[in-house]
Amino acid sequence: MITAERLRVLVEVAHAGSIATAARRMGFTPSALSQQLARLEREVGCALLDRRPTGAALTEAGRLLVAHGEAITGELRAAELAIAELRERPAADLSIGAFATAGQVLVPPALRAFREAHPRTRLRLTDLEPPDGYDLVLSGDLDLLITHRYPGVRLPPARGLARRPLLADRLRLVLPSDHPLANARRPRFEHFAEDDWISGDDTAPSRVCFESLVAETGVSPRVAYETRDYAVILALVRAGLGVSFVPDTLLAGADRDGLVVRDLTGRRPVREIHTVHRDRPPSHVTTMVSLLAESAARFTPRSAHRLLQ
C-alpha cells in the first residue's frame, strides 16, 4: 500500500532535482531517502527513478506517480492549515512565487501591508518565470503563484487549482526619442518592418507575442537583440539600437529620458497577469490576493496613463 509520507518523498525529489537536495530540504540523510524510495518502488512494483552517475531522473511511472502525489500532498497540507484555522492558530508561513516584473512592482506593497497586519507569519518569495510553478502550488510547496500569459501563448492546465485574473498589463511600443516615427499620429506595426527589434529569445513568451503580430501582419522585422531583461531592453532602446514592446507596469516606474512610449493603431497586445492557488485557499492566501488586487489597481488604464505622463 502506498503511504503518503513516501509519496511526499518522491514529490520532493522531483521538485528538488536530486535525492541529495531533497534530503537536505527535508532534514534527512540521502541514504534514508533512498531507502524510502526503494520501499515505494517495491510497493508499486516498478522503478520510479532512473539512477545514473550524474543523478536520478523520473521514469514514466515516476512522472505519473508524482502528478498524483502533488495533488495528494497538497490536500494534506491544506487539511493541516484548515485544522490550524479551526483552532484559531494563525498560519506560520506564506510562500509566494512570482515572475520578475510582478516581484518588482506588484508584490512589495502587498507584502508590506500583509506583514504589518500579520507580523508573526513568515513570508517567502521565490522567482518563477511562467509557465513554472503550477506543480508547486498543487503540491502545497507554494501557497500562491503570480504568473502571466502573453498573446499567442497557451495557458498551462490548472487541474485542481483556481486561476484568477489580476491585471491586464498593456504592452506598449517603446522608441528612441529621436526615432523618425516618434511623433507619428497613428503608428502601426507594419511601419516598423525595417527597424531592428529587441525581444526575448525564441522560447520567451514575449517573443511568441512578437511572432503572433508577425503572423497577423505578414511583415517580418529583424530581431537584432535578444534579452528577457526589460532593464536591458530599455537601455538598448534609449541608445537608439532598436524598438521593443514593454509592459505598462514596468514603464510606470521607469526612467523615460530618451524614450517615447506609444500605442499601436489597431493592435494593443495585453499581458494577462493571474493569481493561482488551490481551490479552497486558507484565509491568509485570500488576504494576500486581496492585497495584490489593491496593488494592481494602481495600474488600471487611467492610473497607468497618469503615471506615464
Side-chain angles (χ1 to χ4, degrees):
M1 182 178 185
I2 299 175
T3 66
E5 186 57 32
R6 282 194 279 276
L7 201 54
R8 187 171 78 91
V9 168
L10 180 65
V11 170
E12 291 289 345
V13 170
H15 290 175
S18 72
I19 293 175
T21 303
R24 186 168 60 252
R25 291 179 181 177
M26 299 179 73
F28 294 105
T29 64
S31 61
L33 250 62
S34 293
Q35 292 173 19
Q36 291 291 319
L37 290 169
R39 292 188 65 179
L40 182 58
E41 287 178 325
R42 289 196 295 271
E43 289 169 351
V44 299
C46 60
L48 302 173
L49 291 173
D50 181 12
R51 294 167 175 80
R52 304 167 183 169
T54 56
L58 290 170
T59 64
E60 183 179 356
R63 290 191 295 271
L64 176 64
L65 199 55
V66 164
H68 289 285
E70 287 170 342
I72 292 168
T73 301
E75 284 295 327
L76 288 172
R77 286 175 173 164
E80 292 172 354
L81 286 174
I83 292 295
E85 286 190 349
L86 186 65
R87 297 170 58 186
E88 298 182 346
R89 240 177 44 209
D93 298 277
L94 175 62
S95 56
I96 302 169
F99 61 95
T101 308
Q104 179 179 345
V105 300
L106 292 177
V107 174
L111 284 182
R112 180 182 178 89
F114 187 96
R115 188 176 65 180
E116 290 174 352
H118 306 279
R120 296 178 60 189
T121 301
R122 293 187 299 267
L123 300 172
R124 180 168 63 90
L125 179 64
T126 302
D127 289 334
L128 286 170
E129 288 301 315
D132 292 346
Y134 282 75
D135 56 339
L136 298 176
V137 179
L138 188 62
S139 68
D141 289 325
L142 277 182
D143 296 305
L144 178 64
L145 175 68
I146 307 166
T147 188
H148 64 58
R149 182 180 78 92
Y150 278 77
V153 179
R154 289 186 178 181
L155 280 169
R159 54 188 177 88
L161 302 174
R163 180 167 50 208
R164 302 284 184 265
L166 181 64
L167 177 66
D169 192 9
R170 194 157 33 121
L171 299 175
R172 310 197 72 192
L173 179 67
V174 182
L175 314 170
S177 57
D178 60 354
H179 192 282
L181 296 175
N183 297 313
R185 292 186 60 186
R186 297 173 64 84
R188 305 180 67 87
F189 185 67
E190 295 88 333
H191 295 162
F192 302 91
E194 301 302 319
D195 280 88
D196 284 345
W197 280 77
I198 308 160
S199 183
D201 57 38
D202 289 340
T203 62
S206 59
R207 185 63 168 272
V208 176
C209 170
F210 176 82
E211 296 297 344
S212 69
L213 286 173
V214 169
E216 287 177 22
T217 59
V219 300
S220 299
R222 174 175 176 259
V223 176
Y225 308 97
E226 294 185 344
T227 176
R228 297 189 182 209
D229 189 327
Y230 280 112
V232 175
I233 288 175
L234 291 179
L236 292 172
V237 174
R238 190 176 289 111
L241 297 172
V243 301
S244 186
F245 287 121
V246 176
D248 218 359
T249 50
L250 188 141
L251 284 169
D255 176 10
R256 295 183 63 207
D257 287 346
L259 303 175
V260 171
V261 181
R262 303 295 306 277
D263 288 314
L264 290 178
T265 298
R267 293 179 177 84
R268 293 192 175 185
V270 170
R271 178 176 71 168
E272 301 168 0
I273 299 179
H274 299 88
T275 57
V276 181
H277 51 71
R278 296 185 64 81
D279 274 332
R280 299 182 299 277
S283 60
H284 66 298
V285 173
T286 56
T287 297
M288 179 55 72
V289 171
S290 297
L291 293 172
L292 285 167
E294 293 177 11
S295 182
R298 298 183 299 124
F299 299 99
T300 58
R302 181 178 300 175
S303 61
H305 178 73
R306 184 171 62 251
L307 286 165
L308 286 163
Q309 297 310 307

